[in-house]
Amino acid sequence: MTEALFPNVRWDRIWDATLETIYMTGISLIATFILGILLGLLLYLTGKGNLWANKPINTVIGAYVNITRSIPFVILLILIIPFTKLIVGTILGPTAALPALIIGAAPFYARMVEIALREIDRGVIEAAQSMGATSSTIIFKVLLPESTPALISGITVTTIAMIGYTAMAGIVGGGGLGTLAYQEGFQRNNGDVTLVATVVILLVVFVVQWIGDFLTYKTDKR
């Protein structure tokens, strides 16, 4: 039945490409979450009136985040080819796509982290300060716990964006479903391959969105 509907689809290749996409997204997700939290905290804490208020540092970090977020991902892929080749040893394959995915997504998430932290009631922070709480206590016992639902929602949106990035990376040989859809689907005029790859990407996105919504709901205390 499937052979009649999708004569050009090799299901073993679909499976391998799906695993490559999940690999790229998973590794990038972990790195983006860590770097995004760090950058977002620095953006917030060095802002005016906050714990580590420092305008020069805030300006530098803000400029880096804004500039990096503004570069289209395909252009970013090309721009950092020398850097990618230096640390990975190649510019082809799923692993070679990781630097661009992380560099492209971390600033995006960092800005979401900053926005989430800004939404915290300042009265809660001031109450902690009045009780003699240290900066680390305020960060780990107040800021991060209070913003958890927004942080999860933000990383969910970022992860879905990264899945889209992996598809774009596939056009330049990054592997995954993007490469499959482009090389075996579009270039060979196999519409069924492109269709199946697209449906699988959509399914991955739906699963990520469901998990994100579920965790956001579970951690929301309101």
Short mmCIF file of all heavy atoms in Angstrom, two decimals, residues 29-90:
data_model
loop_
_atom_site.label_atom_id
_atom_site.label_comp_id
_atom_site.label_asym_id
_atom_site.label_seq_id
_atom_site.Cartn_x
_atom_site.Cartn_y
_atom_site.Cartn_z
N LEU A 29 19.53 21.95 21.56
CA LEU A 29 18.60 22.34 22.62
C LEU A 29 19.32 22.45 23.96
O LEU A 29 19.15 23.45 24.69
CB LEU A 29 17.47 21.31 22.72
CG LEU A 29 16.56 21.39 23.95
CD1 LEU A 29 15.82 22.72 23.98
CD2 LEU A 29 15.58 20.23 23.94
N ILE A 30 20.13 21.46 24.29
CA ILE A 30 20.85 21.48 25.57
C ILE A 30 21.79 22.68 25.65
O ILE A 30 21.80 23.43 26.63
CB ILE A 30 21.64 20.16 25.75
CG1 ILE A 30 20.67 18.98 25.87
CG2 ILE A 30 22.54 20.24 26.99
CD1 ILE A 30 21.35 17.62 25.79
N ALA A 31 22.59 22.87 24.59
CA ALA A 31 23.54 23.98 24.58
C ALA A 31 22.84 25.34 24.58
O ALA A 31 23.25 26.27 25.29
CB ALA A 31 24.45 23.87 23.35
N THR A 32 21.76 25.43 23.80
CA THR A 32 21.01 26.69 23.72
C THR A 32 20.35 27.03 25.06
O THR A 32 20.34 28.19 25.48
CB THR A 32 19.93 26.59 22.62
OG1 THR A 32 20.57 26.45 21.36
CG2 THR A 32 19.05 27.83 22.61
N PHE A 33 19.84 26.01 25.75
CA PHE A 33 19.20 26.25 27.04
C PHE A 33 20.21 26.80 28.04
O PHE A 33 19.94 27.79 28.73
CB PHE A 33 18.61 24.94 27.57
CG PHE A 33 17.89 25.08 28.88
CD1 PHE A 33 16.64 25.68 28.93
CD2 PHE A 33 18.46 24.64 30.05
CE1 PHE A 33 15.97 25.82 30.14
CE2 PHE A 33 17.81 24.78 31.27
CZ PHE A 33 16.55 25.37 31.31
N ILE A 34 21.39 26.19 28.11
CA ILE A 34 22.41 26.63 29.06
C ILE A 34 22.91 28.04 28.71
O ILE A 34 22.93 28.93 29.56
CB ILE A 34 23.58 25.63 29.09
CG1 ILE A 34 23.12 24.28 29.63
CG2 ILE A 34 24.73 26.17 29.95
CD1 ILE A 34 24.12 23.16 29.48
N LEU A 35 23.31 28.22 27.46
CA LEU A 35 23.84 29.53 27.04
C LEU A 35 22.77 30.61 27.10
O LEU A 35 23.04 31.75 27.49
CB LEU A 35 24.40 29.43 25.62
CG LEU A 35 25.67 28.60 25.45
CD1 LEU A 35 26.03 28.47 23.97
CD2 LEU A 35 26.83 29.21 26.22
N GLY A 36 21.55 30.25 26.71
CA GLY A 36 20.46 31.23 26.74
C GLY A 36 20.13 31.69 28.14
O GLY A 36 19.89 32.88 28.38
N ILE A 37 20.12 30.74 29.09
CA ILE A 37 19.87 31.10 30.50
C ILE A 37 20.96 32.05 31.00
O ILE A 37 20.68 33.07 31.65
CB ILE A 37 19.81 29.84 31.39
CG1 ILE A 37 18.56 29.02 31.10
CG2 ILE A 37 19.87 30.23 32.87
CD1 ILE A 37 17.27 29.62 31.62
N LEU A 38 22.23 31.71 30.70
CA LEU A 38 23.35 32.54 31.15
C LEU A 38 23.28 33.94 30.55
O LEU A 38 23.40 34.94 31.27
CB LEU A 38 24.68 31.87 30.78
CG LEU A 38 25.02 30.58 31.53
CD1 LEU A 38 26.29 29.96 30.97
CD2 LEU A 38 25.17 30.83 33.02
N LEU A 39 23.08 34.02 29.24
CA LEU A 39 23.01 35.32 28.58
C LEU A 39 21.80 36.12 29.04
O LEU A 39 21.88 37.32 29.28
CB LEU A 39 22.95 35.14 27.06
CG LEU A 39 24.26 34.75 26.35
CD1 LEU A 39 23.98 34.42 24.88
CD2 LEU A 39 25.27 35.88 26.44
N GLY A 40 20.66 35.42 29.17
CA GLY A 40 19.44 36.09 29.62
C GLY A 40 19.57 36.64 31.04
O GLY A 40 19.13 37.76 31.33
N LEU A 41 20.18 35.85 31.92
CA LEU A 41 20.41 36.32 33.29
C LEU A 41 21.32 37.53 33.31
O LEU A 41 21.06 38.51 34.03
CB LEU A 41 21.02 35.19 34.13
CG LEU A 41 20.06 34.16 34.72
CD1 LEU A 41 20.84 32.99 35.31
CD2 LEU A 41 19.15 34.78 35.79
N LEU A 42 22.38 37.50 32.51
CA LEU A 42 23.30 38.64 32.45
C LEU A 42 22.61 39.88 31.90
O LEU A 42 22.81 40.99 32.41
CB LEU A 42 24.52 38.29 31.59
CG LEU A 42 25.56 37.36 32.24
CD1 LEU A 42 26.62 36.96 31.22
CD2 LEU A 42 26.21 38.05 33.43
N LEU A 43 21.79 39.69 30.87
CA LEU A 43 21.04 40.83 30.32
C LEU A 43 20.14 41.45 31.38
O LEU A 43 20.06 42.68 31.50
CB LEU A 43 20.20 40.37 29.13
CG LEU A 43 20.88 40.28 27.77
CD1 LEU A 43 19.96 39.60 26.77
CD2 LEU A 43 21.28 41.65 27.27
N TYR A 44 19.48 40.60 32.14
CA TYR A 44 18.55 41.10 33.17
C TYR A 44 19.29 41.70 34.36
O TYR A 44 18.99 42.82 34.78
CB TYR A 44 17.65 39.97 33.64
CG TYR A 44 16.76 40.35 34.79
CD1 TYR A 44 15.62 41.13 34.59
CD2 TYR A 44 17.07 39.96 36.10
CE1 TYR A 44 14.81 41.52 35.65
CE2 TYR A 44 16.26 40.33 37.16
CZ TYR A 44 15.15 41.11 36.94
OH TYR A 44 14.35 41.48 38.00
N LEU A 45 20.25 40.95 34.89
CA LEU A 45 20.92 41.38 36.12
C LEU A 45 21.77 42.63 35.94
O LEU A 45 21.95 43.40 36.89
CB LEU A 45 21.80 40.23 36.65
CG LEU A 45 21.04 39.00 37.15
CD1 LEU A 45 22.00 37.85 37.43
CD2 LEU A 45 20.24 39.32 38.40
N THR A 46 22.31 42.84 34.73
CA THR A 46 23.13 44.03 34.49
C THR A 46 22.30 45.22 34.00
O THR A 46 22.85 46.29 33.72
CB THR A 46 24.24 43.74 33.44
OG1 THR A 46 23.63 43.30 32.22
CG2 THR A 46 25.20 42.67 33.95
N GLY A 47 20.99 45.02 33.90
CA GLY A 47 20.11 46.11 33.50
C GLY A 47 19.96 47.15 34.58
O GLY A 47 20.27 46.92 35.76
N LYS A 48 19.44 48.29 34.21
CA LYS A 48 19.28 49.42 35.14
C LYS A 48 18.40 49.04 36.34
O LYS A 48 17.31 48.51 36.18
CB LYS A 48 18.66 50.60 34.41
CG LYS A 48 18.56 51.87 35.26
CD LYS A 48 17.99 53.01 34.45
CE LYS A 48 17.88 54.28 35.30
NZ LYS A 48 17.30 55.41 34.52
N GLY A 49 18.92 49.29 37.54
CA GLY A 49 18.16 49.06 38.76
C GLY A 49 18.16 47.63 39.25
O GLY A 49 17.51 47.32 40.25
N ASN A 50 18.91 46.74 38.59
CA ASN A 50 18.94 45.34 39.01
C ASN A 50 20.20 45.02 39.81
O ASN A 50 21.04 45.89 40.05
CB ASN A 50 18.82 44.43 37.79
CG ASN A 50 17.44 44.53 37.15
OD1 ASN A 50 16.43 44.71 37.84
ND2 ASN A 50 17.39 44.43 35.83
N LEU A 51 20.35 43.77 40.21
CA LEU A 51 21.39 43.37 41.16
C LEU A 51 22.80 43.74 40.73
O LEU A 51 23.59 44.22 41.53
CB LEU A 51 21.32 41.84 41.39
CG LEU A 51 20.08 41.32 42.12
CD1 LEU A 51 20.10 39.80 42.17
CD2 LEU A 51 20.00 41.90 43.53
N TRP A 52 23.12 43.47 39.47
CA TRP A 52 24.48 43.72 38.98
C TRP A 52 24.49 44.84 37.95
O TRP A 52 25.21 44.76 36.95
CB TRP A 52 25.07 42.46 38.34
CG TRP A 52 25.14 41.27 39.26
CD1 TRP A 52 25.09 41.28 40.62
CD2 TRP A 52 25.27 39.89 38.87
NE1 TRP A 52 25.19 40.00 41.11
CE2 TRP A 52 25.30 39.13 40.07
CE3 TRP A 52 25.38 39.24 37.65
CZ2 TRP A 52 25.42 37.74 40.07
CZ3 TRP A 52 25.51 37.86 37.64
CH2 TRP A 52 25.53 37.12 38.84
N ALA A 53 23.72 45.87 38.16
CA ALA A 53 23.57 46.95 37.17
C ALA A 53 24.92 47.42 36.64
O ALA A 53 25.78 47.87 37.39
CB ALA A 53 22.82 48.12 37.80
N ASN A 54 25.10 47.27 35.34
CA ASN A 54 26.36 47.65 34.69
C ASN A 54 26.06 47.95 33.23
O ASN A 54 25.93 47.05 32.40
CB ASN A 54 27.38 46.51 34.81
CG ASN A 54 28.76 46.91 34.34
OD1 ASN A 54 28.93 47.47 33.28
ND2 ASN A 54 29.76 46.60 35.16
N LYS A 55 25.96 49.23 32.91
CA LYS A 55 25.53 49.63 31.58
C LYS A 55 26.47 49.18 30.47
O LYS A 55 25.99 48.67 29.43
CB LYS A 55 25.34 51.15 31.52
CG LYS A 55 24.69 51.60 30.21
CD LYS A 55 24.37 53.09 30.24
CE LYS A 55 23.69 53.50 28.93
NZ LYS A 55 23.35 54.95 28.93
N PRO A 56 27.79 49.32 30.61
CA PRO A 56 28.68 48.87 29.52
C PRO A 56 28.52 47.38 29.20
O PRO A 56 28.43 47.00 28.02
CB PRO A 56 30.09 49.17 30.06
CG PRO A 56 29.88 50.29 31.02
CD PRO A 56 28.56 50.00 31.67
N ILE A 57 28.51 46.53 30.23
CA ILE A 57 28.36 45.09 30.01
C ILE A 57 27.01 44.78 29.40
O ILE A 57 26.90 43.98 28.47
CB ILE A 57 28.56 44.31 31.33
CG1 ILE A 57 30.00 44.42 31.80
CG2 ILE A 57 28.17 42.83 31.15
CD1 ILE A 57 30.28 43.73 33.12
N ASN A 58 25.97 45.43 29.91
CA ASN A 58 24.63 45.21 29.39
C ASN A 58 24.53 45.61 27.92
O ASN A 58 23.89 44.93 27.11
CB ASN A 58 23.61 46.00 30.22
CG ASN A 58 22.18 45.73 29.82
OD1 ASN A 58 21.61 46.42 28.99
ND2 ASN A 58 21.60 44.69 30.39
N THR A 59 25.19 46.71 27.57
CA THR A 59 25.18 47.20 26.19
C THR A 59 25.88 46.22 25.26
O THR A 59 25.40 45.92 24.15
CB THR A 59 25.86 48.58 26.09
OG1 THR A 59 25.16 49.51 26.93
CG2 THR A 59 25.84 49.09 24.66
N VAL A 60 27.03 45.70 25.70
CA VAL A 60 27.80 44.76 24.88
C VAL A 60 27.02 43.47 24.65
O VAL A 60 26.90 42.99 23.52
CB VAL A 60 29.17 44.45 25.53
CG1 VAL A 60 29.85 43.29 24.81
CG2 VAL A 60 30.06 45.68 25.51
N ILE A 61 26.46 42.90 25.73
CA ILE A 61 25.70 41.66 25.61
C ILE A 61 24.45 41.88 24.77
O ILE A 61 24.10 41.06 23.91
CB ILE A 61 25.32 41.11 27.00
CG1 ILE A 61 26.57 40.76 27.80
CG2 ILE A 61 24.44 39.86 26.86
CD1 ILE A 61 26.30 40.39 29.24
N GLY A 62 23.78 43.01 25.00
CA GLY A 62 22.58 43.33 24.23
C GLY A 62 22.88 43.47 22.75
O GLY A 62 22.10 43.01 21.90
N ALA A 63 24.01 44.11 22.43
CA ALA A 63 24.39 44.28 21.03
C ALA A 63 24.68 42.92 20.39
O ALA A 63 24.26 42.66 19.25
CB ALA A 63 25.62 45.18 20.94
N TYR A 64 25.39 42.05 21.11
CA TYR A 64 25.69 40.71 20.57
C TYR A 64 24.40 39.94 20.29
O TYR A 64 24.25 39.34 19.21
CB TYR A 64 26.55 39.93 21.57
CG TYR A 64 26.60 38.44 21.27
CD1 TYR A 64 27.33 37.95 20.20
CD2 TYR A 64 25.87 37.53 22.06
CE1 TYR A 64 27.35 36.60 19.91
CE2 TYR A 64 25.89 36.18 21.77
CZ TYR A 64 26.63 35.71 20.70
OH TYR A 64 26.63 34.37 20.41
N VAL A 65 23.48 39.98 21.24
CA VAL A 65 22.21 39.26 21.09
C VAL A 65 21.42 39.81 19.91
O VAL A 65 20.90 39.05 19.08
CB VAL A 65 21.38 39.34 22.39
CG1 VAL A 65 19.95 38.87 22.16
CG2 VAL A 65 22.03 38.51 23.49
N ASN A 66 21.33 41.13 19.82
CA ASN A 66 20.54 41.74 18.75
C ASN A 66 21.15 41.49 17.36
O ASN A 66 20.43 41.18 16.41
CB ASN A 66 20.42 43.25 18.98
CG ASN A 66 19.52 43.57 20.16
OD1 ASN A 66 18.65 42.78 20.53
ND2 ASN A 66 19.74 44.71 20.78
N ILE A 67 22.47 41.60 17.26
CA ILE A 67 23.13 41.40 15.97
C ILE A 67 23.00 39.95 15.52
O ILE A 67 22.65 39.67 14.37
CB ILE A 67 24.63 41.80 16.05
CG1 ILE A 67 24.75 43.32 16.21
CG2 ILE A 67 25.39 41.34 14.80
CD1 ILE A 67 26.14 43.79 16.53
N THR A 68 23.26 39.02 16.43
CA THR A 68 23.20 37.60 16.08
C THR A 68 21.79 37.18 15.71
O THR A 68 21.59 36.41 14.77
CB THR A 68 23.72 36.72 17.25
OG1 THR A 68 24.96 37.22 17.70
CG2 THR A 68 23.89 35.28 16.81
N ARG A 69 20.80 37.69 16.43
CA ARG A 69 19.41 37.35 16.12
C ARG A 69 18.97 37.90 14.77
O ARG A 69 18.05 37.36 14.15
CB ARG A 69 18.48 37.91 17.20
CG ARG A 69 18.48 37.17 18.51
CD ARG A 69 17.30 37.57 19.36
NE ARG A 69 17.12 39.02 19.41
CZ ARG A 69 15.96 39.62 19.59
NH1 ARG A 69 14.85 38.92 19.68
NH2 ARG A 69 15.88 40.94 19.64
N SER A 70 19.63 38.96 14.32
CA SER A 70 19.21 39.62 13.09
C SER A 70 19.77 38.97 11.84
O SER A 70 19.31 39.26 10.73
CB SER A 70 19.64 41.09 13.13
OG SER A 70 19.07 41.75 14.25
N ILE A 71 20.77 38.09 11.98
CA ILE A 71 21.40 37.46 10.82
C ILE A 71 20.54 36.27 10.37
O ILE A 71 20.30 35.35 11.15
CB ILE A 71 22.82 36.97 11.15
CG1 ILE A 71 23.70 38.13 11.62
CG2 ILE A 71 23.45 36.30 9.93
CD1 ILE A 71 25.06 37.70 12.12
N PRO A 72 20.06 36.26 9.13
CA PRO A 72 19.30 35.11 8.63
C PRO A 72 20.13 33.83 8.80
O PRO A 72 21.34 33.83 8.57
CB PRO A 72 19.06 35.45 7.16
CG PRO A 72 19.13 36.94 7.11
CD PRO A 72 20.16 37.33 8.12
N PHE A 73 19.46 32.74 9.16
CA PHE A 73 20.18 31.52 9.51
C PHE A 73 21.03 30.97 8.36
O PHE A 73 22.15 30.50 8.58
CB PHE A 73 19.21 30.44 9.99
CG PHE A 73 19.90 29.18 10.44
CD1 PHE A 73 20.63 29.16 11.61
CD2 PHE A 73 19.85 28.03 9.66
CE1 PHE A 73 21.29 28.01 12.03
CE2 PHE A 73 20.50 26.87 10.07
CZ PHE A 73 21.22 26.87 11.25
N VAL A 74 20.51 31.01 7.15
CA VAL A 74 21.27 30.49 6.01
C VAL A 74 22.57 31.27 5.83
O VAL A 74 23.63 30.70 5.54
CB VAL A 74 20.42 30.53 4.72
CG1 VAL A 74 21.27 30.15 3.51
CG2 VAL A 74 19.23 29.59 4.83
N ILE A 75 22.50 32.59 6.01
CA ILE A 75 23.70 33.43 5.90
C ILE A 75 24.66 33.11 7.05
O ILE A 75 25.88 33.04 6.85
CB ILE A 75 23.31 34.92 5.89
CG1 ILE A 75 22.49 35.25 4.64
CG2 ILE A 75 24.56 35.80 5.96
CD1 ILE A 75 21.99 36.66 4.58
N LEU A 76 24.10 32.91 8.25
CA LEU A 76 24.94 32.55 9.40
C LEU A 76 25.70 31.25 9.14
O LEU A 76 26.89 31.13 9.46
CB LEU A 76 24.07 32.41 10.65
CG LEU A 76 24.79 32.03 11.95
CD1 LEU A 76 25.77 33.12 12.36
CD2 LEU A 76 23.79 31.77 13.06
N LEU A 77 25.01 30.28 8.54
CA LEU A 77 25.65 29.01 8.18
C LEU A 77 26.90 29.24 7.33
O LEU A 77 27.95 28.64 7.56
CB LEU A 77 24.67 28.13 7.40
CG LEU A 77 23.73 27.21 8.18
CD1 LEU A 77 22.70 26.64 7.23
CD2 LEU A 77 24.49 26.09 8.86
N ILE A 78 26.76 30.12 6.35
CA ILE A 78 27.86 30.38 5.43
C ILE A 78 28.97 31.19 6.11
O ILE A 78 30.16 30.91 5.94
CB ILE A 78 27.34 31.13 4.18
CG1 ILE A 78 26.33 30.26 3.44
CG2 ILE A 78 28.49 31.54 3.26
CD1 ILE A 78 25.56 30.99 2.36
N LEU A 79 28.56 32.17 6.94
CA LEU A 79 29.53 33.04 7.60
C LEU A 79 30.49 32.27 8.51
O LEU A 79 31.68 32.60 8.59
CB LEU A 79 28.80 34.11 8.42
CG LEU A 79 28.25 35.32 7.69
CD1 LEU A 79 27.48 36.22 8.65
CD2 LEU A 79 29.38 36.12 7.04
N ILE A 80 29.97 31.26 9.21
CA ILE A 80 30.81 30.58 10.20
C ILE A 80 31.40 29.27 9.67
O ILE A 80 31.86 28.45 10.46
CB ILE A 80 30.05 30.33 11.51
CG1 ILE A 80 28.92 29.31 11.32
CG2 ILE A 80 29.50 31.62 12.08
CD1 ILE A 80 28.35 28.81 12.62
N ILE A 81 31.40 29.09 8.35
CA ILE A 81 32.00 27.88 7.78
C ILE A 81 33.45 27.67 8.24
O ILE A 81 33.82 26.56 8.65
CB ILE A 81 31.90 27.90 6.23
CG1 ILE A 81 30.48 27.48 5.80
CG2 ILE A 81 32.92 26.96 5.60
CD1 ILE A 81 30.25 27.55 4.30
N PRO A 82 34.31 28.71 8.23
CA PRO A 82 35.69 28.51 8.71
C PRO A 82 35.73 28.06 10.17
O PRO A 82 36.52 27.18 10.54
CB PRO A 82 36.34 29.88 8.53
CG PRO A 82 35.54 30.54 7.46
CD PRO A 82 34.13 30.07 7.69
N PHE A 83 34.88 28.68 11.00
CA PHE A 83 34.81 28.31 12.43
C PHE A 83 34.33 26.88 12.60
O PHE A 83 34.88 26.11 13.39
CB PHE A 83 33.89 29.28 13.16
CG PHE A 83 33.66 28.94 14.61
CD1 PHE A 83 34.66 29.09 15.54
CD2 PHE A 83 32.41 28.45 15.03
CE1 PHE A 83 34.45 28.77 16.87
CE2 PHE A 83 32.20 28.12 16.34
CZ PHE A 83 33.21 28.29 17.28
N THR A 84 33.31 26.52 11.83
CA THR A 84 32.77 25.16 11.89
C THR A 84 33.82 24.14 11.49
O THR A 84 34.00 23.12 12.17
CB THR A 84 31.54 25.03 10.96
OG1 THR A 84 30.52 25.94 11.37
CG2 THR A 84 30.99 23.62 10.98
N LYS A 85 34.53 24.42 10.41
CA LYS A 85 35.56 23.49 9.95
C LYS A 85 36.68 23.37 10.97
O LYS A 85 37.27 22.29 11.14
CB LYS A 85 36.11 23.95 8.60
CG LYS A 85 36.95 22.90 7.89
CD LYS A 85 37.25 23.28 6.46
CE LYS A 85 38.00 22.15 5.75
NZ LYS A 85 38.28 22.48 4.34
N LEU A 86 36.96 24.47 11.66
CA LEU A 86 38.03 24.47 12.66
C LEU A 86 37.71 23.57 13.84
O LEU A 86 38.55 22.79 14.29
CB LEU A 86 38.29 25.90 13.15
CG LEU A 86 39.35 26.06 14.25
CD1 LEU A 86 40.73 25.70 13.72
CD2 LEU A 86 39.34 27.49 14.79
N ILE A 87 36.47 23.65 14.36
CA ILE A 87 36.15 22.90 15.58
C ILE A 87 35.55 21.52 15.31
O ILE A 87 35.64 20.64 16.16
CB ILE A 87 35.20 23.71 16.49
CG1 ILE A 87 33.85 23.94 15.81
CG2 ILE A 87 35.83 25.01 16.91
CD1 ILE A 87 32.81 24.55 16.73
N VAL A 88 34.93 21.34 14.14
CA VAL A 88 34.30 20.06 13.82
C VAL A 88 35.14 19.23 12.86
O VAL A 88 35.14 18.00 12.92
CB VAL A 88 32.88 20.27 13.24
CG1 VAL A 88 32.22 18.93 12.92
CG2 VAL A 88 32.01 21.04 14.23
N GLY A 89 35.88 19.94 11.99
CA GLY A 89 36.72 19.23 11.03
C GLY A 89 36.07 19.02 9.68
O GLY A 89 36.69 18.53 8.74
N THR A 90 34.80 19.40 9.56
CA THR A 90 34.07 19.25 8.30
C THR A 90 32.93 20.26 8.27
O THR A 90 32.55 20.80 9.31
CB THR A 90 33.50 17.82 8.14
OG1 THR A 90 32.80 17.73 6.89
CG2 THR A 90 32.54 17.50 9.27
#
